[in-house]
Amino acid sequence: MADEGAGRKLAAARAVEEACAAQGLPFADASALAGIGAPETLFVIGNGFDLAHGVKSSYWDFRSTLGKSNQLRAALEVALVGDDLWGDFENNLAHINTYGMLPNLDDMIDAYDAYSEDASAADLFAAAEETMWPLQSIVHDLPRRFHMWVNTLQPGKRMALFEEMFSKSSRYLTFNYTEFLESVYGIPESRITYIHGKRDAKGKGALVLGHAPDAGMEDGRRPQLPHYRSAAKREKLEAALLVAQNWVNWYHENFTKNTADIIRAYASFFDMLSEVRDVVVVGHSLSAVDMPYFLEMRSCIEGFDELRWFFSCYTGESTSRLAQFLAAMGIRSSRATVFVL
């Protein structure tokens, strides 16, 4: 089994190296990074770091813990749309399947007899609420269940690469909720910024989970609904639609990652980056939802154009995303080196 695992790792490294050659990106063996840690080095840590240590911390793992008949899992899979819901979970939190839910509104109003002259406003509200039940379930249950799951994650193996690379004098920006930099490698908490919270924190908003502020905006269209001749029915349907839209707005209020507010809250960290000379990105997907943090780094680091960047890539496909990131950040490919864990 060990030989089989080594073979897969070697094949993955070759695939990344070939992809780098096609993209014009420098590639180096990970051992070349040993000893790079210094006060002028910033490590940016993503979920790939935990995964490399054997931690079952993917969103697919979270899905598995919910079970097949779990109401929250059902709500997520009904309410959200995306090519890979669990593989790109945070980005997909932005995309609500209104075309799947709202067509049920008319039938639900009928079921609650809310079209009748004797119906109360509460009946109409209940019909809209029942139509949008997946959003309610997500808002009420996802933060709690997610925090519970994160608290179960346990660190696995130590990796010699990081033992040689990490320095207690370097700075660490982690997008993970786990404290494995501290517990596994002995990095002082004072050198680590948990930009999205740490799992030992308390309260509903302790862990930041969500989509980018500009994602999931409605395009102004809505599903085809009956056009009743009765003005009273049309008014009730429009009123119910307004209630349903309020549920959508409430959902987005809870799951929009307000990066501007987070950056302001951690202004002291970004201000301390002025003397950084090397940036090592380990296991971060470079997704659009976290781009504002990297752009803030660019504005805070003196001599940004001369930084040396090192990126871990897991697959050949990830180099395409890296190339897009470099272009968006204005980083010359000659300043970036790709390695495989």
Side-chain angles (χ1 to χ4, degrees):
M1 290 295 290
D3 290 342
E4 183 180 340
R8 286 197 300 267
K9 185 174 180 180
L10 180 60
R14 286 176 177 168
V16 171
E17 185 173 8
E18 291 173 2
C20 285
Q23 295 280 352
L25 295 170
F27 177 86
D29 187 273
S31 61
L33 280 74
I36 195 174
E40 296 81 18
T41 300
L42 170 67
F43 291 93
V44 179
I45 307 295
N47 190 44
F49 174 80
D50 282 5
L51 292 171
H53 287 77
V55 182
K56 294 184 178 299
S57 57
S58 74
Y59 288 113
W60 279 103
D61 291 316
F62 174 55
R63 172 184 180 267
S64 296
T65 65
L66 293 176
K68 292 183 179 180
S69 58
N70 178 266
Q71 178 175 293
L72 174 59
R73 174 174 163 179
L76 288 163
E77 293 177 347
V78 166
L80 305 181
V81 291
D83 294 334
D84 183 5
L85 172 58
W86 297 99
D88 194 17
F89 185 66
E90 282 199 285
N91 285 329
N92 284 327
L93 284 172
H95 305 299
I96 298 176
N97 185 19
T98 52
Y99 277 75
M101 291 185 289
L102 283 181
N104 300 322
L105 182 59
D106 179 55
D107 289 339
M108 201 59 65
I109 296 173
D110 263 337
Y112 276 85
D113 199 26
Y115 279 132
S116 71
E117 294 181 0
D118 298 331
S120 67
D123 295 326
L124 198 65
F125 186 89
E129 187 176 64
E130 186 73 16
T131 302
M132 308 306 286
W133 75 264
L135 298 186
Q136 300 174 62
S137 180
I138 295 170
V139 172
H140 287 143
D141 298 337
L142 179 57
R144 177 182 58 84
R145 288 299 299 264
F146 185 75
H147 205 150
M148 287 173 57
W149 169 68
V150 170
N151 283 337
T152 68
L153 301 179
Q154 296 297 324
K157 58 188 177 181
R158 293 170 65 91
M159 296 180 67
L161 170 65
F162 296 114
E163 291 179 344
E164 297 175 2
M165 187 191 310
F166 286 164
S167 167
K168 294 181 180 180
S169 63
S170 298
R171 293 202 172 275
Y172 299 81
L173 172 63
T174 181
F175 289 80
N176 297 343
Y177 311 105
T178 52
E179 71 294 336
F180 303 148
L181 285 169
E182 300 175 54
S183 61
V184 177
Y185 294 100
I187 306 300
E189 184 178 11
S190 61
R191 306 302 294 180
I192 306 170
T193 296
Y194 293 88
I195 197 73
H196 288 157
K198 188 178 176 184
R199 65 180 181 176
D200 61 3
K202 306 298 182 183
K204 180 181 178 182
L207 304 183
V208 177
L209 175 71
H211 61 76
D214 57 349
M217 301 302 292
E218 297 296 323
D219 61 6
R221 297 178 302 161
R222 65 187 186 188
Q224 187 68 39
L225 292 170
H227 183 74
Y228 289 110
R229 292 184 178 181
S230 165
K233 278 194 170 184
R234 290 199 305 271
E235 289 175 3
K236 289 194 173 186
L237 184 56
E238 288 294 332
L241 275 170
L242 182 60
V243 173
Q245 184 58 51
N246 287 339
W247 282 109
V248 172
N249 296 340
W250 180 60
Y251 168 90
H252 281 305
E253 286 175 7
N254 279 271
F255 291 108
T256 296
K257 189 178 287 183
N258 294 308
T259 50
D261 291 344
I262 295 170
I263 288 170
R264 279 192 290 271
Y266 287 97
S268 60
F269 163 77
F270 289 101
D271 290 342
M272 288 188 291
L273 300 180
S274 60
E275 296 182 358
V276 167
R277 295 296 172 261
D278 296 318
V279 181
V280 183
V281 182
V282 180
H284 194 286
S285 64
L286 305 176
S287 62
V289 68
D290 292 329
M291 195 65 182
Y293 304 116
F294 289 100
L295 294 173
E296 183 68 13
M297 287 167 52
R298 184 176 67 181
S299 69
C300 293
I301 297 176
E302 296 179 7
F304 180 85
D305 292 340
E306 300 307 314
L307 284 180
R308 292 192 304 171
W309 291 80
F310 302 87
F311 297 89
S312 70
C313 282
Y314 182 68
T315 65
E317 290 80 3
S318 59
T319 61
S320 297
R321 187 165 58 248
L322 172 56
Q324 295 171 0
F325 172 82
L326 296 178
M329 289 286 289
I331 300 171
R332 304 191 306 276
S333 59
S334 61
R335 305 302 299 175
T337 298
V338 177
F339 66 96
V340 177
L341 296 179

